[in-house]
Amino acid sequence: MQRQRRTPPWRPSVILDEWVQRESRPISLRQLTFFGRTLTESRLLSSANYVRLELPTRLAHRLRNMQTLPYAALTNEHIAHVYELYYRAFELFRKVPAIHNMDDNDRLCEVLRTALTDHLTVIPRLAMGILEIQDSVSGDECDRFMTTLLRSRISRRVIAEQHLALTETFHSPWHFDGKKSSVAPEDEFVGEIFLKCNAREIVEKCAKRARELTAKAYGPKVTIPKIILQGHLDTTFPYIPSHLEYILGELLRNSIQAVVEQTGSSNPPPIEVLICEAAQQVIFRISDQGGGIDREILPYLWSFAKGPRRNKRLKNLGQVPRLAATMEELQLPPSVPDQTENEQSGERFGSSLASLSSRPPDLRLGIGLPMSRIYAEYWAGSLELHSLEGYGCDAFLQVSRLGNKNEVLSTRAAMDGV
């Protein structure tokens, strides 16, 4: 039964209308890199003013999207929770005055950190909400709504976290105003962007984490399949590591669990990861012999809202918001990277991805693949999966090698939905 809450508070729409009329200004990894590589005070202040205008603009469009939902959906406990979070953030950001100096910028950074922490529960609450509102909103519409909000959420976190990271760089002892040496030679980061993501190292890191989590879940009597890497193993490219690690982590977790559950033997077949470097893209192919995907689930593979096991998914999602609240609350095995390693991979300000990717293997949420596809497509990549029933799966992840593609933003909200 869908849980209800009190009537959402009334707010005037005039201010929101003004911000909805603004267009978002898309960015690319290459633009972010060039902008942050030669970091001066004037550039940092320019970034701050972009952030203080862009975040409320993108929030306004998503608030208008939520206002177009049927009233019964908007009063759902989880949807209402997200709506209130978004509106508070919108009010907070739109009232930030123009940034003229570093003190102004530092105050903005405090606002950004607060908002990033407050919004760590958005993903699981949205997922629960759309599973509960299906009496008033169709499954297809729920999927479009979820995709739009998650894509926008990624964009806002990229903008906020990139500016916070650039501010840290500017205040660091090795920074020289306006010099290219503002990129620390030991980490090759420009803000949140790692200029030399190594394909082999990222796969190995994700494989290690996925194998450890699976081993912990299934016990010492189960043999975890090996991961065999092939292809262009020294390929490097600019990317945000936490995005790539989430996608590859989900794919490897799925393959490892499928093989373990399919074979249950002491000699499971290995999982093969092939890395292919082309002129403009890098392709990862993950192949397993885990029996393929259940034909009951296959038609709904990329859906947040449709498919069987709805009650089980709701129950499991209910255990995630608390885990996503802070990094310190995560109850992870000792072998899972700690906060220091998260910082080295770009997760410097806390991430709900960390809690989702490190959840116990038996906590199946039904959102891993569709979320992974949204992350892949955000920087103009793609994610496809081919299943051979009774044999196994091949997953194909394609990412831009040059970082020159603009972020894929959702279309602006319609003005006629109030």
Side-chain angles (χ1 to χ4, degrees):
M1 181 177 178
Q2 179 177 319
R3 289 171 285 187
Q4 301 288 320
R5 54 153 281 163
R6 61 181 176 82
T7 304
W10 179 87
R11 294 185 177 95
S13 63
V14 176
I15 295 174
L16 192 64
D17 288 345
E18 175 190 336
W19 285 88
V20 169
Q21 289 173 358
R22 304 185 184 209
E23 294 282 1
S24 296
R25 296 160 56 193
I27 52 178
S28 70
L29 285 171
R30 177 173 284 185
Q31 287 174 327
L32 292 175
T33 300
F34 284 159
F35 185 86
R37 194 114 207 221
T38 307
L39 188 59
T40 63
E41 181 173 331
S42 63
R43 282 198 167 199
L44 187 62
L45 298 182
S46 176
S47 171
N49 281 301
Y50 169 78
V51 169
R52 76 174 182 88
L53 294 174
E54 193 68 14
L55 290 181
T57 298
R58 298 189 184 200
L59 281 166
H61 285 282
R62 302 294 72 83
L63 284 166
R64 182 52 48 87
N65 284 130
M66 297 179 80
Q67 290 176 347
T68 64
L69 291 173
Y71 182 78
L74 197 53
T75 58
N76 172 271
E77 174 190 5
H78 305 297
I79 301 297
H81 169 83
V82 174
Y83 183 86
E84 287 300 307
L85 280 177
Y86 278 22
Y87 213 105
R88 286 201 298 269
F90 168 71
E91 286 290 303
L92 195 63
F93 287 126
R94 78 174 182 85
K95 294 177 181 177
V96 173
I99 309 299
H100 298 295
N101 52 54
M102 292 305 299
D103 288 339
D104 292 342
N105 179 72
D106 290 343
R107 283 190 288 270
L108 171 65
C109 288
E110 286 304 312
V111 173
L112 293 176
R113 290 188 186 94
T114 299
L116 288 172
T117 301
D118 289 346
H119 286 226
L120 285 176
T121 59
V122 164
I123 293 175
R125 294 299 289 265
L126 272 177
M128 286 189 283
I130 65 163
L131 288 172
E132 292 184 351
I133 65 174
Q134 306 216 357
D135 291 340
S136 54
V137 183
S138 71
D140 288 339
E141 186 60 33
C142 281
D143 279 336
R144 283 192 291 271
F145 172 74
M146 187 75 166
T147 298
T148 297
L149 262 67
L150 286 180
R151 190 178 288 150
S152 179
R153 180 183 185 276
I154 295 169
S155 77
R156 296 192 308 274
R157 291 191 76 90
V158 166
I159 291 169
E161 291 175 356
Q162 180 69 4
H163 182 71
L164 287 170
L166 289 179
T167 299
E168 283 189 358
T169 296
F170 189 83
H171 288 312
S172 64
W174 42 261
H175 170 71
F176 299 96
D177 199 23
K179 305 297 184 183
K180 287 191 176 182
S181 57
S182 61
V183 179
E186 66 271 17
D187 59 21
E188 291 289 350
F189 271 100
V190 176
E192 290 292 280
I193 302 165
F194 191 34
L195 301 180
K196 295 182 179 179
C197 283
N198 182 281
R200 176 180 58 189
E201 290 177 1
I202 288 181
V203 171
E204 288 175 345
K205 177 180 177 180
C206 293
K208 181 174 181 288
R209 184 182 302 183
R211 295 180 85 248
E212 289 171 345
L213 286 167
T214 308
K216 181 178 176 65
Y218 290 90
K221 294 183 179 180
V222 173
T223 303
I224 306 300
K226 295 181 179 179
I227 311 291
I228 297 177
L229 271 68
Q230 300 172 319
H232 302 137
L233 301 184
D234 295 326
T235 298
T236 62
F237 51 94
Y239 216 78
I240 297 178
S242 60
H243 291 191
L244 192 58
E245 289 170 11
Y246 175 74
I247 302 168
L248 289 171
E250 283 292 328
L251 296 176
L252 288 167
R253 279 169 62 105
N254 289 344
S255 289
I256 291 171
Q257 286 180 238
V259 170
V260 167
E261 294 177 1
Q262 172 76 5
T263 62
S265 67
S266 58
N267 189 29
I271 295 165
E272 297 180 357
V273 180
L274 176 65
I275 301 168
C276 301
E277 179 183 11
Q280 297 189 15
Q281 61 196 26
V282 178
I283 301 170
F284 299 82
R285 186 188 72 186
I286 299 175
S287 304
D288 66 61
Q289 298 177 43
I293 298 170
D294 189 332
R295 65 172 61 187
E296 181 188 32
I297 298 173
L298 191 59
Y300 311 107
L301 204 59
W302 306 108
S303 173
F304 290 98
K306 297 179 290 185
R309 307 174 186 174
R310 173 173 172 268
N311 291 334
K312 179 66 173 176
R313 289 163 66 190
L314 270 171
K315 180 181 177 182
N316 288 346
L317 281 162
Q319 301 177 51
V320 175
R322 193 170 171 76
L323 291 176
T326 65
M327 293 294 293
E328 289 74 17
E329 285 182 1
L330 299 180
Q331 298 183 10
L332 308 179
S335 55
V336 173
D338 59 16
Q339 180 69 12
T340 302
E341 185 166 339
N342 284 335
E343 290 175 357
Q344 293 172 352
S345 68
E347 295 180 23
R348 306 181 184 191
F349 308 104
S351 171
S352 49
L353 286 185
S355 58
L356 288 170
S357 61
S358 300
R359 69 188 183 277
D362 57 345
L363 196 63
R364 302 190 179 185
L365 308 178
I367 64 174
L369 281 177
M371 265 191 62
S372 295
R373 175 176 270 186
I374 291 174
Y375 271 95
E377 292 176 346
Y378 181 72
W379 294 116
S382 64
L383 176 60
E384 299 294 338
L385 195 146
H386 301 282
S387 172
L388 272 65
E389 187 176 5
Y391 182 78
C393 288
D394 281 356
F396 294 86
L397 169 64
Q398 173 186 307
V399 300
S400 172
R401 179 169 172 254
L402 305 177
N404 60 345
K405 303 294 186 181
N406 278 350
E407 56 181 337
V408 177
L409 294 177
S410 299
T411 55
R412 59 178 300 176
M415 284 294 295
D416 57 357
V418 179

